[in-house]
Structures are given as structure tokens and as C-alpha cells.
Amino acid sequence: MLLEVEGLCVNYGHIEAIRDITFGVEEGSITTLIGANGAGKTTTLKTISGLRKVRAGRVLFDGKDITNLPPYDRVKLGLSQSPEGRGCFPGMTVRENLDMGAYVRSDRRTPAYQADLDRVFELFPRLLERVNQAAGTMSGGEQQMLAIGRALMAKPRLVLLDEPSMGLAPKFIQQIFSIISEINAQGTTVLLVEQNAAQALKRADSAHILETGEIVRSGTGAELAGDDSVRAAYLGGD
Ligand code: ATP
């Protein structure tokens, strides 16, 4: 397992946001966490990337206990996150945002760095068209692409994607999921948090359903997508 989450408990004050969450992410896989609003998906991702402190439990990355490492050091190890709500730097250009994603890298003037930039522009040609434009002036879909591109510029082994389809027009939703599959096919392990359960399960090797801070079901994407109770609760029953 590239990532192991063991017995994770996280509180906001007295509120228990997640309770005893345990799951793993196999290297090379797409693993998804699905669940309703407030189920604890974002909190789980933030805790893995080091933005929230644990009350109990451990996070292991490539066998190493990273539970108390600051986020910066986790990025250096190969774990980067594309946040919910995009979180681009609005006053900075597309190129500057992408460079910010690579702040832990020391090879910015090398061909390897340029190759990674080119890879992001191949995945998201729109970003190349808008490379000198301020991020804050772009559409929601474009900013979503930029947030993912920025996370990729850290050259992660594992990328955490928080609701990448949120707020996108239907034609962009299909596109963003194809791009996620492509990122994975190129060798990056993906942990995907989504409310669009149908699309996420279709592409996931492994999936977990969160309800009120706990994992209530786990299986392959296909198993959960074919399960009647999952379909009724998360896939609109169709
Ligand atoms: P969403 O899709 O709406 O982001 P989620 O599944 O990601 O939902 P979380 O955002 O992780 O869920 O929230 C889990 C629980 O923690 C919810 O009960 C939520 O109200 C609570 N919570 C989240 N952030 C905070 C905060 N900053 N302060 C207090 N409570 C919070």
C-alpha cells in the first residue's frame, strides 16, 4: 500500500468529524471516497495532507509514519492535494500558479521541469492558451483544471483530488474524469473525493462510502456501483 490510514479520528472542537477511519490506497490505483455533504470526505483528505491534526490514529505513506509531519514535508515525499473550491491564487497568472505547485522542487530550470509543465499543458490545453492570464479571471472549470495542474507540478506519487467535478458544466464533468483516468494511466496514484458517485465508481479500483464520519461500505468501484442499496442511496436508484 502506498497510503495507509489507520483508525483516524478528527474533531472540530467537540464535533467528531471522522471516527475510526481505516483504509489503504494501493500504488497505481484510483481509490475513491464517496458520501453526502458533511460525511467527512474533505476532513479525511485534509488530515492525510497534514492540514488537520488527528485526535487518534495514524497516516503511513510508503510505510513511513507521517502523522505528525507538516504539509510541506508531505509534499516533498510525494503527496500533493488539489483542494475543494479550487483554491487558486487569483491574482497570479496560470504559469505562476503552476510554479507555486512546484515550490518544493529544486529543478525549476531543468528540462525535467519543462517536461512536467508540458505534460500539464497536454492534459489541459486550455491552461497553455491562458498561461499569462490571472487565475481569478478564468471560469470555474478552468480554475479547477489549474488546481489539478498545480498539484501535479509537485510531481506527486499520490495526488489527492477533492471534488474535482464540483460546479462544472456537464460537458466539463465528463472531461475532468477522463483526465483523471489519464493522470492515473501516466503513473500517478489517485485518491479521489467525489459527490458525483456514478462517475467516481466507474473509474475507481477501490471505493469507500462515508456516512457521518465513518466508513460504512468498501469494495471495488464495480461492486459498489452494482449494489442495490448503494444505487438507491448514491446513484439516484438508476
Ligand atoms: P462536503 O462535501 O460538504 O465538503 P465532506 O464529506 O467533505 O462534505 P467535511 O467537510 O469533512 O465533510 O465535514 C465533516 C463534518 O465536520 C461535518 O459535520 C462538518 O459540519 C464538520 N466541519 C467541517 N469543517 C468544519 C469546521 N471548520 N469547523 C467545524 N466543523 C466543521
Side-chain angles (χ1 to χ4, degrees), residues 84-162:
E84 185 179 23
R86 303 184 282 273
C88 297
F89 302 106
M92 295 171 86
T93 66
V94 165
R95 172 61 198 259
E96 287 165 346
N97 269 276
L98 293 173
D99 287 341
M100 287 302 285
Y103 70 102
V104 295
R105 292 174 63 169
S106 54
D107 63 345
R108 290 215 206 165
R109 295 187 196 287
T110 65
Y113 185 77
Q114 187 57 48
D116 288 336
L117 265 180
D118 291 343
R119 176 185 168 220
V120 168
F121 292 139
E122 272 165 34
L123 289 167
F124 304 107
R126 195 63 171 225
L127 296 183
L128 182 57
E129 286 168 26
R130 312 222 153 184
V131 68
N132 294 316
Q133 189 170 325
T137 65
M138 298 199 303
S139 74
E142 290 163 347
Q143 290 190 45
Q144 189 66 68
M145 293 173 192
L146 179 55
I148 298 172
R150 188 182 58 183
L152 293 177
M153 285 309 294
K155 230 181 168 165
R157 289 175 69 190
L158 171 64
V159 68
L160 312 179
L161 302 177
D162 195 353

Side-chain angles (χ1 to χ4, degrees), residues 10-13 15-18 34-46 52 84 162-163 166 193-195 210 212-213:
V10 176
N11 276 32
Y12 294 102
I15 300 169
E16 285 188 309
I18 55 175
I34 63 173
N37 265 332
K41 307 179 297 298
T42 296
T43 301
T44 304
L45 283 199
K46 281 186 174 168
R52 298 291 330 174
E84 185 179 23
D162 195 353
E163 304 266 8
M166 190 170 62
V193 153
E194 259 302 331
Q195 285 199 47
L210 263 75
T212 56

Side-chain angles (χ1 to χ4, degrees), residues 20-33:
D20 201 18
I21 297 271
T22 296
F23 69 96
V25 176
E26 197 88 57
E27 178 132 45
S29 72
I30 297 181
T31 298
T32 190
L33 303 177

